[in-house]
Amino acid sequence: MNIPYKLSCIATVVAAIVIANPALAADDKAGVIRTESGIDFTPGLNGGLKYDDNITSANTSADELSSWVLTVTPAVQAQLLDGNNIYTVEAGIQYGDYFSSSDDNYLDGLLKAKSEVELNQSNRFNIEAAYIAGHEDRGTGIFEGNSGNGQAEPNTYDILSAGGYYEYGAKTTPARARVNAKYLSKEYSNFEFITQYRNYADTTLGATFYYDTQAATSIFIDFQNVNTAYDVVDPTGDRDSTTNTAKVGVEWQATASTEGSIGIGYQRKGFDNDVREDFSGLSWDAKMTWTPLTYSAFELSTGRTSRDPNGLGDFIRGTSYGVQWHHEWSELFTSSVGFKQVNDDYTGVEREDKSKVYQFGLNYNVTRWLTLNTGVDIFEIDSTDNQYAYDRNIYFIKAEMTL
């Protein structure tokens, strides 16, 4: 199940989800090392202990494996502020040690660089490059549905990406225009007899036009073109495709108690292979934060898009809905409760998945440099093809530390 909220994605984007957390943020909680050169260093160390009752996403209780897992994530951020320009470099690793299944141990890594440059009032650009060495838990990703059978270790891969945008228009004027480009490649590094057919590269080109009102609101028109090319032709047929998405929408900054963005439009996915079924239809993306009280906030999200499957099929129509509630009970205690559902409709095979994720978490701010987190993530995955259905519960306690 290639769903955005899937557990394997935690390791897949260790940079975005694990490393880029409060332990790294250069805010009032982080200990920043300031140098004479003007470069600020923010080191961080996260340690966690969790209990996973189905580490290979098995669909039957007889095949389920459970284990305690120790994770350690050292990371550092270096940042240089030069007038209105910001230059940032982030690096980190995450090691996972499974007490009852050493075959599932992993080591992920991240190296990321970003430049935000404002040439003058009307011209600015952003450039970003990243390298991620990640993994997919056994029984997930390309090997979903096999409960880890025949898979001696996690599936590993490398991701390289580079891109950015150029924006014209002063922020004080109503109209702004932005053009963007990005290249991303993903290449698996083991189980080549299977994974060679899923090595690919995405090339994205796009443009966005913004019109700002006087009420902290922007109306936008966005167009994105994504060309996907696979290194090796799949035995079921060529998977190369082009996806065009056009949206109109509105985004607004905090007004009274809400902020967010809503975009709705049309998406078309066309394959180079005439045998595969093309897709065209409604696409949307919406996120909103409602803050009825200064110490309590609700985050709502929904979206619909198409994507390539891990296994059989031409493409997936994915529709997602999510809600999260964050509450500050005191200066020391905060809580988070969340739910997300993703409905995946496969084309090219008879398969429909419904994935539900429940999240419960409690944070305790011990000191400025130490925060403790505890909670549970509950995964309920149903499918019309029973081999892809499973339940998975992860109980965790983590420590986020800075200087």
Side-chain angles (χ1 to χ4, degrees):
M1 233 140 313
N2 186 19
I3 65 173
Y5 225 85
K6 193 176 178 192
L7 177 65
S8 63
C9 292
I10 296 177
T12 300
V13 288
V14 59
I17 300 180
V18 180
I19 294 176
N21 55 47
L24 256 186
D27 57 19
D28 58 352
K29 290 186 178 181
V32 180
I33 301 174
R34 303 190 185 279
T35 65
E36 294 182 359
S37 64
I39 301 176
D40 296 339
F41 291 91
T42 309
L45 176 63
N46 284 8
L49 184 65
K50 62 183 180 182
Y51 178 77
D52 189 335
D53 67 4
N54 188 4
I55 62 178
T56 62
S57 301
N59 64 325
T60 62
S61 57
D63 293 327
E64 289 181 0
L65 298 175
S66 61
S67 178
W68 287 94
V69 187
L70 174 67
T71 60
V72 180
T73 309
V76 64
Q77 180 191 80
Q79 189 172 84
L80 173 63
L81 303 179
D82 181 16
N84 293 327
N85 305 328
I86 304 175
Y87 306 94
T88 307
V89 176
E90 297 177 8
I93 60 174
Q94 183 182 62
Y95 174 69
D97 188 342
Y98 287 71
F99 295 177
S100 302
S101 180
S102 59
D103 290 341
D104 291 283
N105 293 350
Y106 65 87
L107 179 64
D108 293 344
L110 160 76
L111 180 61
K112 179 180 178 181
K114 182 178 181 180
S115 298
E116 302 171 76
V117 179
E118 186 170 337
L119 300 174
N120 52 47
Q121 186 178 7
S122 299
N123 295 272
R124 66 196 64 88
F125 66 86
N126 171 300
I127 298 176
E128 185 174 315
Y131 167 71
I132 298 176
H135 82 284
E136 295 170 346
D137 294 342
R138 286 196 301 156
T140 70
I142 294 177
F143 287 90
E144 63 177 355
N146 76 348
S147 303
N149 297 325
Q151 189 181 1
E153 60 184 0
N155 208 14
T156 58
Y157 58 81
D158 298 308
I159 291 179
L160 287 170
S161 65
Y165 66 81
Y166 165 76
E167 184 174 278
Y168 176 76
K171 295 181 179 180
T172 56
T173 60
R176 291 176 290 123
R178 174 183 294 187
V179 293
N180 64 277
K182 183 177 182 180
Y183 175 82
L184 181 148
S185 67
K186 182 176 183 179
E187 184 171 344
Y188 289 91
S189 50
N190 56 355
F191 302 106
E192 294 183 0
F193 64 99
I194 293 178
T195 61
Q196 63 177 320
Y197 303 111
R198 288 298 182 271
N199 296 333
Y200 72 92
D202 277 346
T203 303
T204 303
L205 297 172
T208 309
F209 176 79
Y210 297 91
Y211 183 82
D212 300 337
T213 71
Q214 296 180 354
T217 302
S218 296
I219 300 171
F220 66 85
I221 300 175
D222 178 75
F223 175 79
Q224 300 294 321
N225 170 274
V226 181
N227 183 274
T228 302
Y230 286 84
D231 295 351
V232 180
V233 176
D234 191 274
T236 63
D238 187 2
R239 288 187 176 275
D240 292 357
S241 65
T242 300
T243 304
N244 292 310
T245 306
K247 290 181 182 178
V248 296
V250 59
E251 59 184 34
W252 66 98
Q253 298 176 352
T255 56
S257 61
T258 66
E259 64 179 359
S261 65
I262 299 174
I264 187 169
Y266 183 83
Q267 184 176 80
R268 185 184 186 281
K269 184 179 183 71
F271 289 95
D272 294 352
N273 184 354
D274 294 336
V275 177
R276 295 195 182 277
E277 182 179 344
D278 295 340
F279 162 75
S280 60
L282 193 65
S283 178
W284 70 81
D285 182 40
K287 298 177 182 178
M288 186 182 74
T289 300
W290 175 46
T291 310
L293 302 169
T294 57
Y295 49 84
S296 191
F298 293 87
E299 296 179 1
L300 308 174
S301 64
T302 180
R304 186 185 187 190
T305 189
S306 67
R307 65 181 189 276
D308 290 357
N310 287 315
L312 298 176
D314 296 336
F315 65 88
I316 304 170
R317 294 175 180 166
T319 306
S320 63
Y321 310 90
V323 59
Q324 281 193 323
W325 174 45
H326 305 280
H327 190 84
E328 297 181 11
W329 299 98
S330 69
E331 292 184 357
L332 297 179
F333 289 97
T334 62
S335 65
S336 178
V337 180
F339 170 77
K340 187 167 186 177
Q341 178 172 313
V342 179
N343 300 329
D344 287 336
D345 184 5
Y346 285 69
T347 298
V349 292
E350 293 293 329
R351 177 182 168 187
E352 293 183 11
D353 296 347
K354 179 178 291 187
S355 308
K356 297 179 180 179
V357 182
Y358 305 85
Q359 290 187 313
F360 305 91
L362 181 65
N363 301 330
Y364 174 43
N365 300 314
V366 182
T367 66
R368 178 199 61 78
W369 54 270
L370 175 62
T371 300
L372 299 179
N373 315 114
T374 186
V376 59
D377 297 332
I378 301 171
F379 298 79
E380 296 180 356
I381 315 300
D382 294 321
S383 177
T384 54
D385 189 335
N386 188 58
Q387 67 174 320
Y388 300 106
Y390 66 89
D391 293 330
R392 189 172 185 175
N393 302 311
I394 302 174
Y395 307 89
F396 63 87
I397 181 170
K398 297 187 295 183
E400 298 177 351
M401 293 168 280
T402 62
L403 290 179

